[in-house]
Amino acid sequence: MSNLKPYFQLARPANIVTAIADILAGMTITQFIFEPSAHSAYWLILATIGLYGGGVVMNDVFDAELDAIERPERPIPSGKVSPNAAALLGISLLVMGIIAAGMFSLLSAQLALIIAALAVIYDRYAKHSAVFGPITMGLCRGGNLLLGMSVVSQSLIEWGWVALVPIAYIGAITLISQDEVHGGKRRSLYIAASLYMSVHAIQFIVAFQQGNGSMALLLIALHALLIGHPLWKAFQNPIGPNIGKAVKAGVLSLIVMNAAWCVAFGNWPIALVVLLLLPLSILLARVFAVT
C-alpha cells in the first residue's frame, strides 16, 4: 500500500470526493429518481472520478519542474513517481472518465471529452494566467455539474445555466490559489469574497423559487461559515499558509454547496448523502494533499 500512496497523492482523493458531490447535485437538479433500476446512471460517478483524478495528475506532470523548486516533497520531484508513470496514470484516468460517461449516453461522453480537454488546457497553459486560469478551472467544475445533469438531458435547456454558479465559485478558489506559495494581495481575496457572496445569493433565490428557501438557507449559511473563517484570516494576513487554508476550505466545502443544491430542489435524502461525503473528504485530506 505504501508503494501506491504516491499515486494516490497525485490524484488527490479528497478532491475527487467533491467531484462526486457535483454529480449527485446535478442529478438532483434534474429531479432524477434515485432507484436501483437506474443503475446505469451511476457510470457518471465513475466518469467524474476518472476526469478529476486525471486532471490533477496531469497538473503535477506539467508542473514537475516548478514543483522541484517550490514543492520538492511532491511525488514526481521527490522521485517517488516517474514523470512517465504519472503521465500514463493521468491519461488513463481521463480516458476512463470519457469511456465511463459514454456507457451512459453520447451526450455524457461529449461533455466528458470537453471537461478532459479543459483540464489539460488548464494544466498546460491557463493556470498561470490571472484571467484565463480561474475561468478555465471554473469551466471544468461547471462542466462536471452539467455531466450530472446529463442524466436527464432535457433538463439542460431549463437548468443548464446553473453551471455558471460553480464556474464563479471555482474561479474564486483558483484566483486565491495563485498566491498560495508566495502569499498575495488582498485584492484577489476581495474579488473571491464577492464571487462567493454571489453564489450564495443565487442559491437562495433558486431555493426560494422552488419553495425550499428556509431549508436551503441553513446549508448556505453553513457553507458561508466554512469558507468565510479561513478567508477572513487570509484577509488579515495574506501569507502563503493562510491562503492555502482558504483554498483547502473552499475545495472541501464544495460538498456543502452541492448539498445546498439538493435541498434547494427538495431532495433532503440525497442532500444528507452528499453531506456524508464531507467527513470522508476531510479524512482523506489529512492523508493526501488537497492543493
Side-chain angles (χ1 to χ4, degrees):
M1 182 64 182
S2 60
N3 292 334
L4 294 177
K5 185 175 180 179
Y7 293 91
F8 281 106
Q9 289 176 325
L10 284 173
R12 296 173 175 81
N15 303 44
I16 290 177
V17 174
T18 71
I20 295 172
D22 287 343
I23 298 297
L24 294 175
M27 290 177 169
T28 303
I29 290 170
T30 68
Q31 303 297 320
F32 174 72
I33 299 175
F34 293 84
E35 56 185 17
S37 62
H39 57 84
S40 63
Y42 302 114
W43 279 106
L44 299 180
I45 293 178
L46 182 60
T48 199
I49 291 172
L51 293 170
Y52 199 105
V56 293
V57 170
M58 293 307 297
N59 177 73
D60 277 27
V61 171
F62 289 122
D63 273 3
E65 292 185 7
L66 182 62
D67 283 346
I69 300 171
E70 296 182 346
R71 298 177 179 180
E73 74 282 359
R74 294 292 298 162
I76 297 176
S78 67
K80 295 176 182 177
V81 179
S82 71
N84 288 340
L88 178 61
L89 174 63
I91 294 171
S92 297
L93 286 170
L94 290 173
V95 171
M96 182 192 82
I98 296 168
I99 292 174
M103 294 296 292
F104 180 72
S105 73
L106 177 60
L107 174 61
S108 298
Q110 291 170 333
L111 286 169
L113 181 61
I114 292 171
I115 294 168
L118 286 169
V120 173
I121 289 171
Y122 172 80
D123 294 338
R124 181 65 180 88
Y125 301 107
K127 70 175 296 181
H128 300 295
S129 168
V131 176
F132 294 109
I135 291 174
T136 307
M137 179 53 72
L139 287 170
C140 289
R141 186 66 75 154
N144 203 40
L145 187 66
L146 290 176
L147 183 61
M149 295 174 66
S150 70
V151 72
V152 181
S153 58
Q154 300 89 335
S155 68
L156 292 175
I157 298 174
E158 181 178 5
W159 293 110
W161 66 268
V162 173
L164 294 173
V165 176
I167 290 175
Y169 183 83
I170 294 298
I173 294 175
T174 308
L175 186 63
I176 297 171
S177 70
Q178 291 178 337
D179 297 319
E180 184 180 354
V181 175
H182 303 293
K185 299 178 181 179
R186 289 185 174 88
R187 179 173 175 271
S188 296
L189 300 176
Y190 283 123
I191 295 173
S194 299
L195 289 171
Y196 283 159
M197 288 188 288
S198 298
V199 166
H200 293 145
I202 292 171
Q203 280 197 303
F204 178 72
I205 291 171
V206 172
F208 181 80
Q209 290 174 340
Q210 296 294 311
N212 300 306
S214 58
M215 293 189 294
L217 186 59
L218 295 174
L219 287 179
I220 292 171
L222 174 61
H223 185 223
L225 178 64
L226 290 173
I227 61 176
H229 181 65
L231 187 62
W232 175 247
K233 285 190 173 182
F235 273 132
Q236 294 177 312
N237 189 12
I239 59 175
N242 286 346
I243 289 176
K245 290 177 182 177
V247 172
K248 181 178 179 179
V251 172
L252 297 183
S253 61
L254 263 163
I255 292 172
V256 180
M257 186 180 84
N258 281 315
W261 279 125
C262 295
V263 174
F265 285 85
N267 197 328
W268 262 105
I270 298 302
L272 292 175
V273 171
V274 171
L275 281 176
L276 287 175
L277 294 175
L278 183 59
L280 173 60
S281 186
I282 292 173
L283 179 63
L284 289 170
R286 292 177 180 176
V287 182
F288 305 104
V290 171
T291 61

